[in-house]
């Protein structure tokens, strides 16, 4: 056990605000015992606020066209090997019904930054979903748009928005993205979304190329200050058609530690155990929950198109991470005393 790290983890757990340097001390000095301590206390907090309920979000990957060129991402615009597709409104409503029947009460509409999905088209889709199933929460994950666009989408019925900040460190952001993509714009978007009354999610990859421990400390400090309702956090996994093809994947253990620290920082946060984590470790999803995660996002996209939405290599898509696998997923969760619930799973703050 490391005294400094343990003291700071305990302070965090006690609701104290930490400095970026404190997070750095934790990440630098924690030994295996401290990591276990953080994970088990994060798991206790999850149980305290959510019991054994795991919330589900049905993920519809509505387009893999993207104008951006994130160096880590398999659907970046420079990847000419991708077969591009976009779903029609009817296909999206079909996904909605399939998810609804499986007990999902949140629909996440995620896609690359595809200009085809204008405000008019997107608003039409969101209001159609809300009209068809008013009790469903709609989460959007469509990247950077204008404030006016976010406002219109909110008015059309969107409840939540996921926009991972990817890294809170300017120089690191510039290593992961081409120059036309700016961290300042991403942060501005997150502020707008919050201002407009969305439940907002930010987040980052663990172990992305060039990431240092300082970067992760900055991410945790940002999350603490921004107080998002949701945090998306998974390991980086290389994709063979990107400039990062030969970079190593992020560590499962570090990802679990980060999940635990996020839960300790924001006790009521909605925290998915991500597909990326399940991709790197057969028990990744369960370990995520035992480290404080309380959300799983089954894939609801049409099966024949799922392979085209490959952000990283070996992305699992037809097993327990898919809507067809909800019953099996529930069984898997029962091995750690948890179960899926039919619930919108809204934020508690
Ligand atoms: N490995 C892990 N996560 C990735 N994402 C994109 N590419 C990868 C990758 N190679 C994540 C990004 C993005 C989210 C939708 O998927 O953080 O915000």
């Amino acid at each position: 056990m490391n005294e400094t790290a343990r003291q700071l983890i305990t302070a965090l757990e006690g609701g104290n605000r930490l400095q970026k340097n404190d997070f750095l001390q934790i990440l630098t000095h924690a030994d295996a015992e401290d990591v276990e301590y953080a994970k088990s206390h994060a798991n206790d907090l999850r149980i305290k606020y959510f019991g054994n309920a795991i919330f589900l979000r049905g993920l519809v990957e509505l387009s893999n066209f993207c104008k951006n060129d994130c160096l880590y991402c398999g659907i970046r615009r420079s990847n000419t090997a991708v077969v591009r597709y976009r779903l029609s409104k009817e296909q999206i409503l079909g996904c909605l019904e399939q998810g609804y029947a499986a007990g999902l009460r949140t629909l996440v509409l995620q896609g690359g930054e595809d200009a085809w999905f204008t405000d008019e088209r997107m608003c039409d889709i969101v209001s159609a979903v809300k009209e068809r199933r008013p009790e469903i929460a709609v989460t959007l994950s469509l990247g950077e748009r204008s404030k006016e666009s976010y406002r219109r989408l909110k008015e059309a019925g969107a409840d939540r928005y996921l926009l991972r900040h990817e890294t809170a460190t300017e120089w690191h952001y510039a290593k992961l993205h081409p120059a036309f993509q700016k961290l300042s714009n991403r942060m501005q978007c997150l502020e707008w979304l919050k201002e407009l009354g969305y439940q907002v999610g930010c987040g980052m990859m663990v172990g992305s190329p060039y990431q240092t421990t300082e970067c992760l400390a900055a991410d945790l400090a940002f999350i603490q200050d921004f107080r998002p309702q949701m945090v998306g956090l998974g390991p980086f996994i290389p994709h063979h058609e990107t400039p990062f093809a030969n970079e190593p994947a992020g560590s499962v253990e570090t990802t679990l530690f980060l999940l635990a620290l996020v839960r300790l920082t924001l006790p009521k946060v909605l925290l998915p155990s991500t597909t990326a984590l399940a991709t790197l470790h057969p028990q990744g999803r369960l370990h995520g929950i035992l480290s404080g995660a309380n959300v799983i996002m089954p894939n609801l996209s049409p099966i024949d198109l799922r392979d085209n939405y490959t952000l990283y290599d070996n992305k699992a898509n037809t097993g327990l991470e898919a809507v067809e696998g909800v019953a099996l997923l529930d069984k898997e969760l029962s091995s750690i005393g948890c179960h899926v619930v039919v619930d919108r799973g809204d934020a508690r703050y």
Side-chain angles (χ1 to χ4, degrees), residues 320-334:
L320 272 57
E321 58 293 314
V323 67
E324 316 84 72
V326 170
L328 275 175
L329 174 66
D330 194 44
K331 191 159 173 239
E332 183 185 81
L333 290 170
S334 71

Side-chain angles (χ1 to χ4, degrees), residues 289-311:
I289 287 164
L290 294 172
S291 306
N294 69 325
V295 171
I296 290 179
M297 301 173 67
N299 194 324
L300 259 186
S301 305
I303 293 189
D304 54 322
L305 293 174
R306 283 182 201 166
D307 279 343
N308 298 327
Y309 200 87
T310 303
L311 307 184

Side-chain angles (χ1 to χ4, degrees), residues 72-74 110 141 163-166 186 203-205 232 234-239 242 276 309 311-313:
Y72 45 84
C73 184
Q110 181 174 85
S141 180
L163 183 68
R164 289 191 180 179
H165 64 284
E166 312 296 357
R186 211 161 181 86
M204 67 281 190
M205 293 174 288
F236 161 76
I237 304 175
H239 184 289
T242 65
Y309 200 87
L311 307 184
Y312 46 83
D313 289 340

Side-chain angles (χ1 to χ4, degrees), residues 62-63 148 249 311 337:
L62 52 80
S63 170
E148 177 60 13
L311 307 184

Side-chain angles (χ1 to χ4, degrees), residues 25-280:
Q25 296 303 313
I26 293 177
L27 293 170
T28 311
H29 298 298
D31 66 11
E33 208 185 316
D34 301 316
V35 171
E36 277 316 307
Y37 175 91
K39 289 185 341 192
S40 85
H41 283 247
N43 189 47
D44 291 347
L45 275 180
R46 171 185 67 74
I47 294 169
K48 175 172 175 192
Y49 290 109
F50 301 97
N52 288 314
I54 301 299
F55 296 130
L56 299 179
R57 295 16 179 139
L59 183 63
V60 179
E61 297 153 336
L62 52 80
S63 170
N64 69 354
F65 283 88
C66 193
K67 70 174 169 60
N68 286 338
D69 220 11
C70 309
L71 275 73
Y72 45 84
C73 184
I75 63 167
R76 66 200 300 265
R77 75 165 184 218
S78 297
N79 183 3
T80 52
V82 180
V83 179
R84 304 284 170 172
Y85 74 88
R86 56 174 71 95
L87 301 186
S88 65
K89 178 177 163 186
E90 290 63 39
Q91 282 175 302
I92 294 166
L93 293 174
C95 297
L96 165 70
E97 287 310 315
Q98 205 195 349
Y100 194 88
L104 308 190
R105 294 297 178 267
T106 292
L107 196 68
V108 181
L109 301 177
Q110 181 174 85
E113 292 195 17
D114 178 359
W116 193 88
F117 285 97
T118 57
D119 295 344
E120 203 178 336
R121 289 196 175 111
M122 250 350 279
C123 288
D124 179 52
I125 291 166
V126 171
S127 38
V129 168
K130 283 288 187 169
E131 207 167 295
R132 183 86 60 102
R133 295 290 181 187
E135 64 274 52
I136 281 241
V138 173
T139 303
L140 299 178
S141 180
L142 303 168
E144 296 173 25
R145 300 173 77 100
S146 67
K147 185 173 186 187
E148 177 60 13
S149 170
Y150 291 145
R151 198 186 56 72
R152 289 179 64 182
L153 291 165
K154 184 84 183 37
E155 260 175 26
D159 302 280
R160 313 182 187 137
Y161 206 102
L162 302 175
L163 183 68
R164 289 191 180 179
H165 64 284
E166 312 296 357
T167 173
T169 305
E170 195 96 44
W171 66 260
H172 186 217
Y173 197 89
K175 289 281 196 189
L176 300 179
H177 304 95
F180 71 88
Q181 292 177 241
K182 300 255 179 269
L183 177 59
S184 54
N185 195 55
R186 211 161 181 86
M187 292 304 199
Q188 173 67 264
C189 288
L190 283 167
E191 290 295 340
W192 285 336
L193 289 163
K194 196 182 219 187
E195 221 178 287
L196 290 164
Y198 282 92
Q199 296 171 38
V200 182
C202 64
M204 67 281 190
M205 293 174 288
V206 175
S208 58
Y210 306 101
Q211 186 178 64
T212 62
T213 309
E214 282 84 354
C215 294
L216 286 173
D219 290 326
L220 288 171
F222 168 67
I223 287 168
Q224 174 184 249
D225 288 342
F226 185 65
R227 298 187 59 74
Q229 282 82 11
M230 309 168 282
V231 173
L233 197 163
F236 161 76
I237 304 175
H239 184 289
H240 64 284
E241 296 279 3
T242 65
F244 294 156
N246 299 316
E247 299 290 332
S251 137
V252 169
E253 201 44 45
T254 309
T255 304
L256 297 176
F257 190 28
L258 265 291
L259 284 172
L261 293 174
V262 170
R263 169 67 62 208
L264 293 173
T265 305
L266 301 173
K268 297 182 186 174
V269 76
L270 295 159
L271 190 61
S273 187
T274 55
T275 303
L277 193 54
T279 300
L280 287 188

